[in-house]
Amino acid sequence: MKGIKGVFKYLFLVVLGLFLVIGGPVFGENKPGDFLEAGRVFYQEGRFFDAVKVWQQGEEVYEKEGNFVKQVLALSYVANGYEALGNLGPAFGAIEQGLKVILNLEESQEKSQVYAKILMSQGSVQLARGEAEAALNSWQLAEKVYASLDDKVGVLGSQVNQAQALQSLGFYRQAKNLLENVYEAQKLQPDSLLKASSVQSLGVALQKVGDLQKSQEVLEESLAVLLRLNAGNEQGAVLLSLGNTARGLKDYSRALDYYHKTAEIARDNLLKIEAKVNELSLLVELEKWGEAKILVEEIKPEIGSLPVRRSAVYAMVNFAQSLIKIPDAEKNLPEVAKILANAVQQAKSKQDRRAESYALFQLGSLYENTQQLKEARSLTLQAIALAEAISAEDILARSQANLGKILKEQGEIAAATNAYKEAVETLQTLRRNLVAINQDVQFSFQESVEPVYRELVSLLLDPAAVPDQQVSQENLKQARLVIEALQLAELDNFFREACLDVKPQQVEKIDPKAAVIYPIILAEKLTVIFSLPARPLQYYSTDLAKPEVEKVVDDYYQSFNILFPTAKRLELAQKVYHWLVEPAEEELAASDIQTLVFVPDGVLRNVPMAALYDGQKYLIEKYSLAITPGLQLLPPQILDKSNLKTLTGGLTEARQGFGALPAVKLEVENISSEVPATVFLNQEFTEKRLQERLLSSGYSVVHFATHGQFSSNPEETFILTWDEKIKVREFENLLRSRSREENPIELLVLSACQTAAGDRRAALGLAGVAMRSGARSTMGTLWSVQDLSTAKLMSEFYEQLTLTGVSKASALRHAQLSLLKQDRFSHPFYWAAFILVGNWL
């Protein structure tokens, strides 16, 4: 997604609009040549260096004139300009100077107005410096000042900024609630261009915290205000934002329509080109090559004549990225190089170091693709130096990874490994803000983040890359940590926020009878690291290209259809068993391992491990099994069998387009016969009723017997209640009465859900539910199983769960084996779908 203006830039222009467009007691009337107004024009055009120069001139003039209020305001604008340029030191210096001046001013409304403005600027710079708590304090103080002035727009603007700081601190629910309050307050404001602009900035902020549905609603309201005002010129930017939100929602046809409309109505040529570049990148993503090539020819004549500003640099770079991805891109390479070189020069001419760094990185990537490695290395090192100087971690991480790629191709493996390590470290520091990166810069998780982790693992596990041809324990430990970090990064990307802060646990301290298996899908091989209690890490590999692994896994998943030939299914099950488990068999037996804990990677998350086959037995016949996104668990704890109080809800009747589940009644009756249970069925099974009950009584187990779906899209990951779908992001609200650390739910069971058909990353949704619920363990299903067999399995599971010394993983194993032994339910379709995610004790 590209072309979205930053939230802070919008709010800065909103505040500028208050003083410079509307006028007021601080400044009186604007005059031609006014320094503040001239700087504002430059800033709006993306000419940040020119804006800073003008405001600095104004600051000197105002100081000589004794107009200290205007001097302070000029200094706050200088800070905003320096921040936009990435020069945070001078930005903070301007803030400090302004605060010193304002302390000497007499109390007045004008002083309060400017004090609030400089506090807003201070918070923006503090957040850019990574000081989120200080930024929050600055904006909270600004809100108080605005409230004392009865400045409703200022209050709302400071609250939008506070939401950004809260998100950076990890308080996502508070950020979302604050933004929703802002939205409700905005509705009460009279229609104006200022309201439309601030509502649009709110829509962008909601997009950044991952609330795409609300973002769309808010942006549509902004557009409605502009339509009521008959303000045609201002509609283009909102339509562009709507297109980006629709794209985030994977509503691609609507996104393309918004981009078309933006290009049609935009009078500003740069906005028109931005819309076309966004449309082109989406067409490329969708592999609509014919339409993409037509659009390329429309953009080419215009891309080189854009005004010199940052957004133009980004548009050129993003256009070049799309050109490279189009089939037969070789013929475009000279033109791509020319476009990128022009982008570098434009950024340099305006001393815009962030834009220059981004353009240099892309030009270095192009030279690497064409094997001009010396030039690629030089350009990439320049990009790194600039990105480090201005703390542009998003550009820095990608440049470090590109340097690693170049060094590897030059045969400098140790240096390449170090470069990739630095890239991963940078990405880890970015973890909370990865989704809030300036979206004028193309930043795809699957293209820009995931490969960095995998390439580092590949280098760490490459015997040819070390002198003795043996992978060291240190490298194995690092590789394991990197792949676990990737697992969490994928969940962050799924939620569009950093979803969990955790500490690794040692296997032997969790369970001395458990082994942990890490299958890792690399470009040309499938590697498995396995960890045995009190033993060195070990690994083995199979030479397999990633597409081959994915094809076999997809076929294996499809083989659980009852009509699929048994012999072929067992052949596929044995092949995957050979990859993942067979090389470790002797070690597992020698260590008397009883539980296998898989940390599955990529498409392997969709693999029903229970049905892997060694030629004679299924894996579930030999071991209890569990799945985890890594040993990144809540503090492990054995289930307290004396307190198996269960809250059970479900649907037996058809609802919201989903079929009836008549055996659910038998399922909940069986559960109630095994453990103390409170039951809500059908009309009683609502989110409100569930939440009320959770608030009033402590339940160690929560069991939902209802339809649901796990998807790689959080908007499509839900469980069905009587009156609505509870989406994955709402689980935290539903279960918020429970403390994650002190009193978590021990087990969440979702017995009738399924992974989305054809979605290779769908099991992310199940992992996401497990994380979001705050439960120590979550049991779910990889496909929608027959409800009578599920009722029987659940009855056996809860009976086992009450027995002393039986873990959750062992209880599930016995329940699965009970179906396997019945002729009617012996096919793995009935029992293999059930998986336990998280703590298996």
Side-chain angles (χ1 to χ4, degrees):
M1 266 174 275
K2 291 72 58 186
I4 300 180
K5 303 289 192 293
V7 172
F8 298 120
K9 179 178 176 182
Y10 272 126
L11 292 176
F12 174 53
L13 293 176
V14 166
V15 176
L16 274 176
L18 282 172
F19 294 123
L20 296 174
V21 177
I22 298 174
V26 178
F27 306 116
E29 297 180 358
N30 292 316
K31 300 175 182 179
D34 183 282
F35 293 107
L36 300 174
E37 169 65 14
R40 183 185 71 86
V41 172
F42 283 139
Y43 191 98
Q44 283 182 312
E45 293 176 352
R47 298 168 61 182
F48 306 126
F49 183 69
D50 293 330
V52 168
K53 285 198 299 184
V54 170
W55 286 327
Q56 285 176 328
Q57 292 170 14
E59 187 268 329
E60 293 173 1
V61 170
Y62 299 140
E63 183 181 18
K64 290 177 182 177
E65 293 177 349
N67 191 339
F68 300 117
V69 170
K70 268 197 172 184
Q71 181 193 0
V72 173
L73 192 61
L75 285 167
S76 73
Y77 293 163
V78 167
N80 286 111
Y82 272 128
E83 182 198 345
L85 289 166
N87 296 349
L88 299 183
F92 209 76
I95 294 291
E96 289 180 328
Q97 185 182 349
L99 289 172
K100 286 179 182 178
V101 173
I102 207 165
L103 286 174
N104 296 319
L105 298 182
E106 294 183 4
E107 294 300 324
S108 66
Q109 184 177 7
E110 290 83 358
K111 175 185 175 179
S112 296
Q113 287 174 319
V114 177
Y115 182 44
K117 171 63 188 75
I118 203 164
L119 286 171
M120 293 286 278
S121 298
Q122 177 176 257
S124 184
V125 175
Q126 286 167 330
L127 191 66
R129 284 168 38 147
E131 302 167 2
E133 190 168 354
L136 180 62
N137 290 335
S138 293
W139 286 325
Q140 287 174 336
L141 182 53
E143 179 187 359
K144 291 179 182 178
V145 177
Y146 280 129
S148 71
L149 294 167
D150 197 27
D151 184 341
K152 294 182 174 60
V153 173
V155 167
L156 296 177
S158 64
Q159 289 176 342
V160 170
N161 283 7
Q162 287 173 50
Q164 183 82 348
L166 287 166
Q167 184 194 7
S168 294
L169 289 166
F171 302 128
Y172 301 101
R173 189 163 41 131
Q174 294 93 317
K176 180 182 175 183
N177 291 342
L178 184 56
L179 288 171
E180 288 176 343
N181 292 337
V182 171
Y183 177 55
E184 292 303 317
Q186 286 280 13
K187 287 182 177 179
L188 303 176
Q189 298 298 312
D191 284 351
S192 67
L193 292 179
L194 192 58
K195 175 182 178 180
S197 177
S198 55
V199 171
Q200 182 191 0
S201 71
L202 174 59
V204 175
L206 285 162
Q207 185 191 84
K208 288 189 174 187
V209 299
D211 195 346
L212 297 178
Q213 294 286 2
K214 178 64 75 172
S215 171
Q216 181 173 278
E217 181 182 341
V218 170
L219 289 169
E220 286 173 347
E221 174 60 26
S222 176
L223 185 62
V225 171
L226 292 172
L227 289 171
R228 289 194 294 270
L229 293 172
N230 197 27
N233 292 345
E234 286 75 20
Q235 292 173 25
V238 181
L239 288 168
L240 188 61
S241 296
L242 277 165
N244 293 328
T245 295
R247 186 171 181 175
L249 288 166
K250 300 187 185 303
D251 189 350
Y252 298 129
S253 60
R254 179 175 288 187
L256 289 170
D257 185 50
Y258 280 129
Y259 293 148
H260 271 299
K261 288 180 179 176
T262 304
E264 285 174 4
I265 72 168
R267 295 187 180 180
D268 176 43
N269 194 47
L270 177 54
L271 182 61
K272 189 187 298 286
I273 292 300
E274 285 181 303
K276 289 184 177 182
V277 168
N278 282 19
E279 180 183 353
L280 176 63
S281 71
L282 181 51
L283 291 172
V284 168
E285 181 183 331
L286 299 175
E287 298 185 352
K288 295 187 176 183
W289 305 122
E291 295 175 52
K293 288 178 180 179
I294 292 171
L295 190 55
V296 164
E297 297 307 314
E298 290 182 23
I299 297 172
K300 276 183 181 180
E302 302 176 1
I303 196 74
S305 59
L306 293 173
V308 180
R309 62 181 78 163
R310 174 182 289 178
S311 48
V313 172
Y314 287 153
M316 287 189 283
V317 174
N318 295 339
F319 177 57
Q321 280 187 283
S322 293
L323 274 179
I324 294 171
K325 296 174 185 176
I326 292 175
D328 303 321
E330 292 79 7
K331 65 182 181 182
N332 293 323
L333 292 181
E335 186 162 12
V336 170
K338 182 178 178 181
I339 292 169
L340 290 174
N342 186 26
V344 171
Q345 289 305 314
Q346 286 205 17
K348 189 174 291 186
S349 72
K350 292 302 172 188
Q351 300 187 29
D352 188 338
R353 294 194 288 175
R354 180 178 174 83
E356 183 183 353
S357 177
Y358 182 49
L360 280 167
F361 154 67
Q362 292 294 350
L363 189 55
S365 297
L366 176 65
Y367 276 108
E368 184 276 323
N369 287 335
T370 58
Q371 291 300 292
Q372 296 171 271
L373 299 181
K374 182 180 178 181
E375 294 83 357
R377 186 168 178 168
S378 174
L379 290 164
T380 303
L381 286 169
Q382 291 177 56
I384 289 172
L386 280 172
E388 284 180 328
I390 61 174
S391 301
E393 283 89 356
D394 54 323
I395 300 171
L396 177 60
R398 298 168 72 184
S399 300
Q400 290 167 329
N402 199 51
L403 179 61
K405 189 175 182 181
I406 294 165
L407 291 168
K408 180 182 177 183
E409 291 172 345
Q410 291 182 320
E412 300 180 36
I413 303 302
T417 304
N418 286 333
Y420 274 111
K421 285 180 181 178
E422 290 176 354
V424 168
E425 287 174 6
T426 304
L427 287 170
Q428 290 297 97
T429 65
L430 261 176
R431 188 180 159 214
R432 290 202 181 279
N433 294 314
L434 203 56
V435 299
I437 287 167
N438 184 338
Q439 295 181 33
D440 286 325
V441 177
Q442 293 185 9
F443 203 95
S444 159
F445 180 86
Q446 288 179 279
E447 289 184 10
S448 303
V449 178
E450 185 176 341
V452 179
Y453 287 83
R454 294 195 187 282
E455 190 59 40
L456 176 55
V457 171
S458 181
L459 286 169
L460 290 169
L461 299 182
D462 184 0
V466 293
D468 59 0
Q469 302 291 299
Q470 294 293 322
V471 177
S472 67
Q473 280 296 299
E474 182 60 32
N475 276 20
L476 286 171
K477 289 176 182 177
Q478 284 190 39
R480 182 178 66 169
L481 289 173
V482 170
I483 208 65
E484 288 200 3
L486 173 59
Q487 298 272 4
L488 283 177
E490 287 185 292
L491 284 170
D492 294 346
N493 178 250
F494 172 77
F495 284 117
R496 297 179 59 81
E497 64 187 47
C499 60
L500 192 64
D501 285 323
V502 287
K503 295 180 180 179
Q505 308 290 329
Q506 292 182 326
V507 182
E508 55 267 33
K509 291 184 179 180
I510 298 173
D511 184 355
K513 295 295 184 181
V516 185
I517 295 177
Y518 299 81
I520 305 167
I521 302 172
L522 301 174
E524 299 298 332
K525 63 182 177 181
L526 176 63
T527 293
V528 178
I529 298 175
F530 73 102
S531 173
L532 294 168
R535 298 284 299 278
L537 293 174
Q538 300 180 54
Y539 86 105
Y540 42 89
S541 296
T542 307
D543 290 333
L544 286 167
K546 182 180 178 183
E548 184 179 351
V549 174
E550 292 177 340
K551 176 66 166 61
V552 171
V553 169
D554 286 345
D555 290 346
Y556 176 56
Y557 183 85
Q558 296 300 324
S559 74
F560 290 92
N561 186 311
I562 292 288
L563 301 178
F564 198 91
T566 298
K568 181 63 176 175
R569 172 175 53 77
L570 292 175
E571 178 187 331
L572 290 165
Q574 192 166 355
K575 179 178 286 191
V576 180
Y577 179 89
H578 171 73
W579 293 345
L580 304 186
V581 182
E582 186 176 307
E585 280 181 328
E586 291 185 11
E587 295 279 358
L588 294 171
S591 299
D592 191 26
I593 294 300
Q594 296 176 7
T595 303
L596 296 185
V597 181
F598 286 90
V599 184
D601 181 33
V603 295
L604 292 170
R605 294 190 188 95
N606 291 344
V607 169
M609 299 297 181
L612 296 183
Y613 191 64
D614 69 358
Q616 294 181 323
K617 291 182 178 180
Y618 290 111
L619 191 62
I620 196 64
E621 296 181 84
K622 301 161 69 172
Y623 302 99
S624 299
L625 303 172
I627 302 293
T628 175
L631 297 183
Q632 314 280 353
L633 305 171
L634 293 163
Q637 180 174 307
I638 295 173
L639 184 63
D640 181 4
K641 302 299 177 96
S642 66
N643 182 32
L644 283 180
K645 192 175 180 182
T646 303
L647 178 64
T648 305
L651 297 176
T652 64
E653 300 177 14
R655 199 70 185 160
Q656 301 183 53
F658 291 85
L661 296 170
V664 163
K665 189 172 187 297
L666 174 62
E667 180 177 335
V668 298
E669 287 175 351
N670 289 343
I671 293 169
S672 299
S673 70
E674 301 292 346
V675 294
T678 301
V679 177
F680 292 111
L681 280 181
N682 298 325
Q683 291 93 333
E684 294 183 332
F685 182 48
T686 65
E687 182 177 4
K688 183 178 179 182
R689 292 293 302 277
L690 291 171
Q691 197 166 74
E692 288 172 353
R693 180 58 63 173
L694 283 167
L695 286 167
S696 63
S697 302
Y699 293 91
S700 59
V701 180
V702 175
H703 184 113
F704 295 142
T706 180
H707 290 288
Q709 179 174 275
F710 309 121
S711 167
S712 60
N713 181 355
E715 297 297 327
E716 296 171 3
T717 296
F718 63 89
I719 65 164
L720 194 72
T721 62
W722 180 258
D723 54 351
E724 62 184 311
K725 295 175 181 176
I726 302 177
K727 295 182 180 178
V728 63
R729 288 197 182 94
E730 297 164 5
F731 263 85
E732 188 174 11
N733 291 332
L734 174 62
L735 305 173
R736 66 173 176 261
S737 59
R738 310 297 295 268
S739 164
R740 283 184 184 273
E741 292 80 15
E742 298 174 5
N743 187 28
I745 291 167
E746 294 295 331
L747 177 63
L748 171 67
V749 181
L750 307 168
S751 76
C753 300
Q754 63 182 329
T755 52
D759 186 347
R760 284 181 169 176
R761 302 175 77 230
L764 270 178
L766 177 53
V769 170
M771 291 290 189
R772 201 68 169 203
S773 69
R776 291 189 196 275
S777 312
T778 299
M779 191 162 85
T781 50
L782 293 174
W783 56 81
S784 185
V785 291
Q786 201 253 7
D787 61 336
L788 179 58
S789 61
T790 298
K792 292 181 177 293
L793 181 141
M794 288 299 170
S795 177
E796 179 68 21
F797 172 73
Y798 280 97
E799 182 179 345
Q800 290 289 324
L801 204 60
T802 62
L803 301 178
T804 303
V806 178
S807 68
K808 286 174 273 191
S810 181
L812 177 57
R813 174 175 180 251
H814 282 96
Q816 289 174 303
L817 292 176
S818 71
L819 291 187
L820 174 60
K821 293 172 183 176
Q822 299 178 42
D823 289 341
R824 181 178 177 184
F825 301 124
S826 62
H827 192 287
F829 164 80
Y830 296 103
W831 50 264
F834 295 89
I835 62 173
L836 184 69
V837 180
N839 192 333
W840 59 90
L841 297 179

